[in-house]
Amino acid sequence: MIKSLRAMIAGGVLVFSFATAALSQNPAPTQANVPYGPHPLQVLDFYKAESAQPTPLLFFIHGGGWMNGDKANPDFLAQALKSGMSVVSINYRLIPDAISAGIKPAVKAPLEDAALALQFVRSKAKDWNIDKNRIAALGGSAGGFSSLWLAYHDDMAKSDDPDPVRRESTRVRCVMGFVPQTTLDPVLAREWIPNNMYGNHAFALPSYDEFIAQREKLQPWIAEYSPLSLVSPDDPPTYIYYDSVPAMGQPQKDPPHSANLGVRLSEALTKAGVECEFNYIGSTGIKHPDIFSFFVDQLQPKKK
């Protein structure tokens, strides 16, 4: 079970973190603000675990609705380093940056930045002593959405790209999302959560009503950028946690972070034969009630 939860209000958007150690105990990055692209927000922090052998890596994507947030104080940092796992935490272009640059849909910028950052990290595997085959993506809220999208998307490596970074894989060994959104389909989201009002900003639309009105036109983008639409049998083991109880079709106290969002994703993953742990308030039979143990089992070599 999550030991602590921080919710910071920043510009009206909840930024979730599920840190397990006091922030004052977190070490400084081994390398800070390493650029992986030309934009000022395309930077990451790297925390190196001491090891003679290449280490697993937690690849952390912060939340904030793709509107704000920061890479500082990635979750599970102290536990990861103590367990011999290195950590990367990224910043990325936000929705306002995408709109200013004319990127369509706007959500393309933060999601594809996550992919590029992961490719960059893999390109540093030798220098940073990382095992590029043992990488977990994780994040909360929109960071969880981005992590799931990255995990379920087909590999974005381009074998013939002149840039060696873009020849690196974007696949991960496992993925974890804390209260993540799982679809950008406004009709589906309203069926699950009648009072949902989240998602129109991903397409730079002024209102949810406009989002619904333009749904058919936006459908190709909705499918391309929704984790639920991308589920397939080759997807990695998944862990999703919600601090509420599913009640499909019922109004929710916190619609963008409702456990209802995890119900259909869990069903789709199970149907596809993908390992999935759907942990929520009152759930039973969870293999890893301690979330960090999920990463240990998935990333650390099994003891003989």
Side-chain angles (χ1 to χ4, degrees):
M1 188 61 65
I2 292 171
K3 296 183 179 179
S4 67
L5 168 66
R6 292 180 291 116
M8 300 175 290
I9 302 296
V13 178
L14 283 173
V15 182
F16 280 97
S17 175
F18 40 97
T20 56
L23 299 185
S24 60
Q25 297 175 350
N26 279 346
T30 307
Q31 296 191 42
N33 296 314
V34 180
Y36 64 87
H39 192 278
L41 285 174
Q42 290 176 315
V43 293
L44 57 81
D45 292 341
F46 171 60
Y47 301 81
K48 185 177 182 179
E50 293 303 321
S51 174
Q53 302 298 321
T55 67
L57 179 83
L58 298 190
F59 183 83
F60 180 75
I61 307 174
H62 71 75
W66 304 306
M67 297 294 289
N68 51 43
D70 187 77
K71 59 183 169 53
N73 302 308
D75 296 309
F76 300 114
L77 176 59
Q79 283 177 284
L81 295 176
K82 184 178 180 180
S83 299
M85 300 181 191
S86 295
V87 177
V88 159
S89 184
I90 71 168
N91 277 350
Y92 48 83
R93 290 171 296 171
L94 303 170
I95 294 291
D97 303 302
I99 293 173
S100 296
I103 297 171
K104 296 181 180 181
V107 73
K108 176 179 181 179
L111 293 181
E112 295 193 359
D113 277 5
L116 178 59
L118 179 57
Q119 291 176 304
F120 174 83
V121 169
R122 274 204 165 95
S123 76
K124 292 290 187 179
K126 184 176 180 180
D127 294 340
W128 291 357
N129 197 35
I130 293 168
D131 183 344
K132 62 171 67 178
N133 294 315
R134 291 189 289 155
I135 297 177
L138 70 151
S141 191
F145 182 112
S146 298
S147 297
L148 295 172
W149 179 84
L150 188 62
Y152 304 155
H153 200 287
D154 289 343
D155 200 333
M156 288 172 269
K158 297 179 180 178
S159 59
D160 58 349
D161 198 293
D163 182 352
V165 170
R166 294 188 181 273
R167 297 199 292 265
E168 295 285 350
S169 174
T170 58
R171 300 293 280 171
V172 295
R173 174 72 70 88
C174 62
V175 62
M176 186 273 165
F178 177 78
V179 297
Q181 301 81 39
T182 57
T183 184
L184 289 173
D185 187 325
V187 173
L188 275 184
R190 274 284 174 87
E191 288 177 0
W192 307 342
I193 306 168
N195 59 331
N196 183 66
M197 297 290 289
Y198 181 92
N200 52 288
H201 68 302
F203 300 96
L205 296 174
S207 70
Y208 205 83
D209 288 342
E210 182 70 14
F211 193 13
I212 292 176
Q214 293 200 33
R215 176 181 181 254
E216 292 307 314
K217 177 183 176 182
L218 295 171
Q219 197 60 48
W221 281 345
I222 290 171
E224 182 177 356
Y225 293 104
S226 292
L228 180 63
S229 302
L230 301 176
V231 169
S232 60
D234 64 344
D235 290 336
T238 298
Y239 194 113
I240 49 176
Y241 178 88
Y242 294 87
D243 56 352
S244 59
V245 180
M248 297 299 284
Q250 300 299 314
Q252 297 294 295
K253 182 178 180 180
D254 184 11
H257 307 108
S258 165
N260 289 7
L261 296 165
V263 172
R264 295 293 182 252
L265 178 62
S266 176
E267 291 174 350
L269 290 167
T270 300
K271 183 177 180 180
V274 177
E275 179 182 341
C276 176
E277 292 187 59
F278 178 26
N279 192 351
Y280 54 87
I281 300 299
S283 59
T284 59
I286 300 299
K287 182 179 179 181
H288 299 97
D290 172 9
I291 295 173
F292 188 73
S293 67
F294 169 75
F295 297 123
V296 173
D297 280 357
Q298 294 293 337
L299 299 178
Q300 296 286 34
K302 301 296 187 291
K303 295 182 179 180
K304 296 182 179 180

